[in-house]
Amino acid sequence: MKKIYNFSAGPATMPESVLKKIQKEFLSYQGSGMSVMELSHRSSLFQKIIDDAESLLRELMEIPSNYEVLFLQGGASLQFSMIPLNLAKHKVAYINTGLWSKRAILEAEKIASLEVEVIASSEDKSFNAVPEVPMVAQDNDYVHITTNNTVEGTAFFKLPETGSVPLIADMSSNILSSYYDVSDFGLIYAGAQKNIGPSGLTIVIIREDLIGLNKSLSAMLDYKTQADNNSIYNTPPTFSIYTAKLVLEWLKDLGGVAAIEKINREKSTLLYKAIDESALFRAPVEKSSRSLTNIPFVTDNDELDKQFIKEAELAGFVNLKGHRSVGGMRASLYNAFPLEGVQALILFMQQFEKKITKG
Ligand SMILES: *Cc1c(COP(=O)(O)O)cnc(C)c1O
């Protein structure tokens, strides 16, 4: 098999040892004669998988006992709707930092009775940094933030002051990649396919007092139904939950969030340094807002960008094309992306630059 490095923004690189473990136990899960895909979601074997996944996540993120962990479907995108439906009464505040936060704002605005205020935005800077966030008015039902902006490559390194207003975070692209104090948040959500496992699973971590506020919701859209039924009100994405459990075990064995954060800092520091030292490549994001997990870079020449992406792919560096809304290149370096891959990419970039400037 050809060795490649996959820089995809999601679904993304998985730890190789996890893929091997899945392969090994794929046909008969723990001697049951059944694949994990064939287990009933009400079986004791699956119950143990989902219980283990939850307790590993609680341990890794130090989730306090007054928070529920929910395993849902519909992607982070369904949370854009579920959050206002469940938590909003009159008025909510959003921070606009790019494509995904805009989508979240759009869904909140569809709720007719709701006043949606964008209290900070970096749209005037083409989202190349995160904005200063003013103190949040205390009559808001919540404030929504995207902690890491996957498309634009920006991240918040300081959380806004929200007083007693619950802070709601879309952590889809940086959950478990650096430390957060869960008690700073009312709710954290993330699609699994970037840092946790395959697509099909969405993690929601919600403070208990925020569950059951809206009594007139459809069962599947209501956090209370999901919490009361321990995420198996209906059939959950069993295979994705199983895989997530293996990834969480892998992360725990590695030393947990503190250990992976150190590696993630090393990976991103190396790549930013190489980009900053280059005469050909440039990082469009302001230094103070640079994401650890999604790193855009450009040559400021569309044809050269295209050539670089094409030659990189031939050399085994795949999915380096930037999001269609911003162009250029983007390297996504989630937890499972290896340090050697970053080192190899840097070498390739240097060789490309030498070739281009010589020509
Ligand atoms: C990928 C992503 C989403 C969308 O996730 P889906 O699971 O595809 O709905 C939302 N927010 C952020 C920050 C993302 O990175």
Side-chain angles (χ1 to χ4, degrees):
M1 205 169 72
K2 188 180 160 199
K3 174 81 200 158
I4 60 117
Y5 289 112
N6 178 9
F7 293 86
S8 171
T13 295
M14 297 269 299
E16 198 177 320
S17 61
V18 167
L19 296 177
K20 285 187 171 146
K21 175 129 199 217
I22 294 169
Q23 186 181 43
K24 190 157 160 266
E25 56 190 17
F26 193 62
L27 294 183
S28 175
Y29 182 69
Q30 296 198 346
S32 64
M34 289 175 279
S35 170
V36 71
M37 294 177 90
E38 300 170 311
L39 296 178
S40 162
H41 59 295
R42 311 266 175 214
S43 65
S44 57
L45 277 175
F46 181 72
Q47 190 61 54
K48 171 108 173 69
I49 291 171
I50 193 168
D51 288 347
D52 286 353
E54 176 173 344
S55 61
L56 282 159
L57 187 69
R58 284 187 177 279
E59 185 182 340
L60 287 164
M61 290 184 74
E62 298 171 14
I63 301 173
S65 60
N66 64 326
Y67 285 73
E68 292 275 351
V69 173
L70 308 177
F71 296 100
L72 307 182
Q73 301 189 58
S77 299
L78 183 59
Q79 295 311 306
F80 298 162
S81 303
M82 279 179 74
I83 287 160
L85 285 170
N86 279 267
L87 306 184
K89 292 183 203 107
H90 313 291
K91 193 173 162 218
V92 293
Y94 279 74
I95 302 165
N96 181 13
T97 47
L99 182 130
W100 292 117
S101 59
K102 275 186 156 179
R103 290 232 187 139
I105 293 164
L106 215 64
E107 294 306 317
E109 284 174 346
K110 286 180 187 163
I111 300 176
S113 57
L114 193 59
E115 188 185 328
V116 181
E117 193 189 353
V118 176
I119 57 165
S121 169
S122 50
E123 189 154 24
D124 58 333
K125 300 169 117 186
S126 312
F127 300 118
N128 74 347
V130 296
E132 280 291 323
V133 182
M135 182 66 196
V136 177
Q138 295 299 295
D139 59 345
N140 279 293
D141 299 320
Y142 63 77
V143 190
H144 181 281
I145 190 172
T146 311
T147 49
N148 185 81
N149 296 282
T150 325
V151 170
E152 297 78 9
T154 64
F156 284 89
F157 294 99
K158 195 175 127 270
L159 294 174
E161 299 281 339
T162 70
S164 60
V165 179
L167 181 60
I168 309 294
D170 179 353
M171 277 192 197
S172 292
S173 50
N174 74 339
I175 190 168
L176 290 165
S177 67
S178 52
Y179 173 79
Y180 283 101
D181 183 343
V182 174
S183 67
D184 286 336
F185 300 89
L187 185 153
I188 292 169
Y189 66 102
Q193 69 272 20
K194 282 142 191 169
N195 240 344
I196 302 176
S199 58
L201 168 66
T202 310
I203 304 269
V204 171
I205 301 164
I206 180 171
R207 213 172 64 205
E208 274 168 3
D209 61 292
L210 299 175
I211 296 173
L213 299 180
N214 182 346
K215 310 282 182 218
S216 58
L217 284 177
S218 314
M220 283 298 289
L221 296 177
D222 192 345
Y223 292 129
K224 185 157 169 38
T225 314
Q226 306 290 357
D228 287 351
N229 291 279
N230 296 315
S231 303
I232 46 176
Y233 173 71
N234 74 324
T235 317
T238 53
F239 188 75
S240 296
I241 293 170
Y242 155 74
T243 310
K245 186 205 90 154
L246 297 182
V247 173
L248 296 172
E249 273 169 0
W250 166 83
L251 183 53
K252 186 183 167 183
D253 288 346
L254 214 108
V257 175
I260 202 78
E261 176 169 351
K262 194 157 166 267
I263 299 170
N264 289 335
R265 285 188 187 281
E266 193 180 344
K267 290 187 300 195
S268 58
T269 303
L270 270 181
L271 185 53
Y272 283 121
K273 182 165 175 284
I275 295 167
D276 288 340
E277 286 173 0
S278 158
L280 179 66
F281 299 105
R282 178 177 72 80
V285 173
E286 280 182 14
K287 281 194 173 146
S288 58
S289 295
R290 288 178 173 181
S291 163
L292 300 186
T293 48
N294 304 95
I295 303 181
F297 56 100
V298 296
T299 63
D300 290 319
N301 173 334
D302 288 349
E303 286 310 310
L304 260 187
D305 286 354
K306 265 192 208 144
Q307 186 187 341
F308 176 79
I309 292 161
K310 199 169 139 216
E311 291 185 18
E313 186 165 336
L314 286 171
F317 303 97
V318 303
N319 291 317
L320 274 170
K321 194 166 184 282
H323 189 271
R324 58 192 185 280
S325 66
V326 298
M329 284 72 76
R330 171 180 51 171
S332 294
L333 309 178
Y334 300 123
N335 288 354
F337 191 93
L339 177 65
E340 315 86 78
V342 178
Q343 291 161 334
L345 174 67
I346 291 170
L347 208 63
F348 180 80
M349 288 167 71
Q350 288 165 344
Q351 285 163 352
F352 183 86
E353 180 168 347
K354 213 180 261 171
K355 189 179 76 177
I356 293 299
T357 43
K358 228 193 269 163

